[in-house]
Amino acid sequence: MAGVLRFFRGVTKLCSIRGVSENVCLRYTHFSAAAAMSSFQHIDAYFKLLDNSFLEFSHLQAMYELLESPSIDPYFKMNFWSKFVLTSLACGKDKIVNSLILFILERSDCHSIATLITVLKALALQKRFKEFESLYALVMSRLSPTDVYVYAADVSAALCLTPFYKEARGFLHMNFERKVPIETFGHFLSAAAIYGPLDEVISFIYELHSMGLNPTQDFYPAFIKRLQGDEGMHYMTSLLEAISSCQCILSSSTALLLKDWFENHGWRGTMGVTLTGSNDDAFMIYLALWSGPNCYLFSNDEFRQHRFTLGTDASPLLARWQAARQISMRSTRPLIFLGPALCDPTIQGSMTEGWHIPYESGGQRPSYLPSNTWLCLRP
């Protein structure tokens, strides 16, 4: 970098950074209510260009008063403070975030529930858990029974960043009973892996699986990081048994994490593709087809529509039957017939004999094929 030139024009600071092969010009702006109002159609871009400096209370108060004007667009007013906090968080502007938190909390009664929930998330990300706990109590005291349902997912997302994650469990069961989508609650297990007792984490895996939720990929690093000594071996066994029973799909990064953990405990691990004599995947999941208990099916059809109509409960059972009974053909010269799968494509093994763990390699494959890459571990 050849040099840095800095100069100021009014409330705008212009930073020019010149390199040997390219010129980059970045403009940073100090916050002003008038400038924010004039940028309302591109407010996110305006937030990103703000200088990361502590915002004066008077400037924020001026913005608040402008937003109270009857002529202000309701959507802009409703989302302004939340967007300001979230964009500043995403851009790493900690001084701005702290300014906003202080301003909003000093007049919490004047701000919407949505804004306060955004501040909850900011406090959680900054690990300011005592302040989080106080604000959470305030938010819950302001929620009507209807509001509880409306904001359940957002409040739970904030809770799952803190040691108070168990509070989200009530929201989860409430939404599940009301048949409201619960995919956003997937991070509950990750929070439990960070803050909760390990035996309780294992029980949560089974509990959430019964609702259709499996661990997210950020769960595994958090859980495995805590496994130490003989107790760690015990909980690793429990983890592998749980994800095998729940048929959780592991990513290649998680498989590598498991491999490293076992190798650090004196095991040997290899990762690769399991092949049959026909040089193809031995563990195909053939799609849904009704047939008798002693029948072999000869077909190359994937039967996507049949699998869809079976639903989530029956499809896995039928898929296992097909893997054991379906025969397909490859259009080669000479023709190659692919027989049934040789074994069940789920986690198999023990701490005494070793483990075979299927995982997703990330490569492309036909929709009917299960994971064809395996982590093999030996003590």
Side-chain angles (χ1 to χ4, degrees), residues 6-17 24-31 46-53 91 93 96:
R6 297 187 179 181
F7 59 93
F8 292 87
R9 291 178 179 174
V11 296
T12 301
K13 180 171 64 177
L14 177 65
C15 299
S16 297
I17 304 175
V24 180
C25 185
L26 303 176
R27 182 179 295 274
Y28 298 104
T29 304
H30 293 299
F31 176 79
Y46 174 75
F47 291 151
K48 292 176 183 178
L49 290 175
L50 290 177
D51 184 34
N52 184 25
S53 58
C91 295
K93 299 180 185 292
I96 292 180

Side-chain angles (χ1 to χ4, degrees), residues 135-152:
L135 181 57
Y136 172 69
L138 174 63
V139 168
M140 293 305 297
S141 70
R142 287 180 54 179
L143 292 180
S144 68
T146 301
D147 289 337
V148 171
Y149 293 115
V150 172
Y151 293 107

Side-chain angles (χ1 to χ4, degrees), residues 262-274:
F262 275 98
E263 288 179 345
N264 288 335
H265 288 75
W267 288 49
R268 290 173 292 171
T270 57
M271 300 172 69
V273 179
T274 301

Side-chain angles (χ1 to χ4, degrees), residues 83-374:
K83 278 193 173 185
F84 203 170
V85 174
L86 291 175
T87 304
S88 300
L89 276 171
C91 295
K93 299 180 185 292
D94 57 313
K95 294 179 181 178
I96 292 180
V97 172
N98 290 334
S99 304
L100 293 170
I101 291 175
L102 182 61
F103 174 76
I104 293 169
L105 292 184
E106 282 195 2
R107 301 188 60 184
S108 58
D109 58 316
C110 298
H111 290 274
S112 67
I113 292 295
T115 297
L116 296 181
I117 291 175
T118 302
V119 173
L120 267 181
K121 181 179 179 180
L123 292 172
L125 290 171
Q126 294 182 342
K127 300 189 183 302
R128 295 162 62 176
F129 297 139
K130 287 187 177 180
E131 294 166 274
F132 178 97
E133 188 174 19
S134 298
L135 181 57
Y136 172 69
L138 174 63
V139 168
M140 293 305 297
S141 70
R142 287 180 54 179
L143 292 180
S144 68
T146 301
D147 289 337
V148 171
Y149 293 115
V150 172
Y151 293 107
D154 294 323
V155 173
S156 296
L159 285 167
C160 287
L161 297 170
T162 74
F164 312 113
Y165 68 94
K166 288 185 183 179
E167 292 284 332
R169 193 179 179 194
F171 294 114
L172 169 61
H173 284 277
M174 177 187 70
N175 279 13
F176 182 74
E177 291 170 1
R178 290 172 58 89
K179 301 187 184 302
V180 176
I182 58 173
E183 289 79 7
T184 55
F185 289 85
H187 292 292
F188 176 85
L189 281 173
S190 301
I194 296 172
Y195 298 109
L198 293 178
D199 54 348
E200 192 173 67
V201 177
I202 298 298
S203 67
F204 283 151
I205 293 177
Y206 291 104
E207 179 182 332
L208 267 65
H209 177 71
S210 68
M211 301 180 186
L213 287 177
N214 286 324
T216 56
Q217 291 306 317
D218 58 351
F219 161 83
Y220 297 102
F223 186 89
I224 294 172
K225 182 180 180 180
R226 297 177 60 188
L227 303 184
Q228 304 292 333
D230 293 339
E231 186 180 51
M233 281 288 185
H234 165 72
Y235 285 118
M236 176 59 79
T237 302
S238 298
L239 173 65
L240 294 177
E241 290 173 348
I243 60 180
S244 176
S245 175
C246 298
Q247 298 184 353
C248 303
I249 298 176
L250 301 181
S251 67
S252 58
S253 60
T254 299
L256 183 60
L257 189 66
L258 288 169
K259 178 176 179 289
D260 290 342
W261 188 90
F262 275 98
E263 288 179 345
N264 288 335
H265 288 75
W267 288 49
R268 290 173 292 171
T270 57
M271 300 172 69
V273 179
T274 301
L275 303 176
T276 66
S278 61
N279 199 31
D280 202 359
D281 180 16
F283 304 107
M284 289 186 177
I285 299 179
Y286 294 98
L287 307 181
L289 181 69
W290 298 102
S291 189
N294 298 312
C295 172
Y296 284 91
L297 171 69
F298 177 64
S299 176
N300 284 345
D301 198 325
E302 294 188 21
F303 301 110
R304 288 187 176 91
Q305 185 60 35
H306 292 275
R307 182 173 63 175
F308 176 79
T309 57
L310 284 174
T312 56
D313 293 332
S315 180
L317 295 176
L318 185 56
R320 291 185 65 183
W321 180 90
Q322 288 181 275
R325 292 290 176 177
Q326 188 160 349
I327 301 171
S328 64
M329 179 183 69
R330 297 180 65 187
S331 299
T332 60
R333 291 181 179 274
L335 294 176
I336 296 177
F337 294 92
L338 303 179
L342 300 179
C343 62
D344 191 13
T346 58
I347 293 178
Q348 303 172 46
S350 67
M351 283 296 184
T352 56
E353 298 180 356
W355 293 94
H356 299 289
I357 304 172
Y359 67 92
E360 290 286 357
S361 65
Q364 293 185 348
R365 56 184 173 85
S367 63
Y368 56 80
L369 290 176
S371 301
N372 67 336
T373 43
W374 291 78

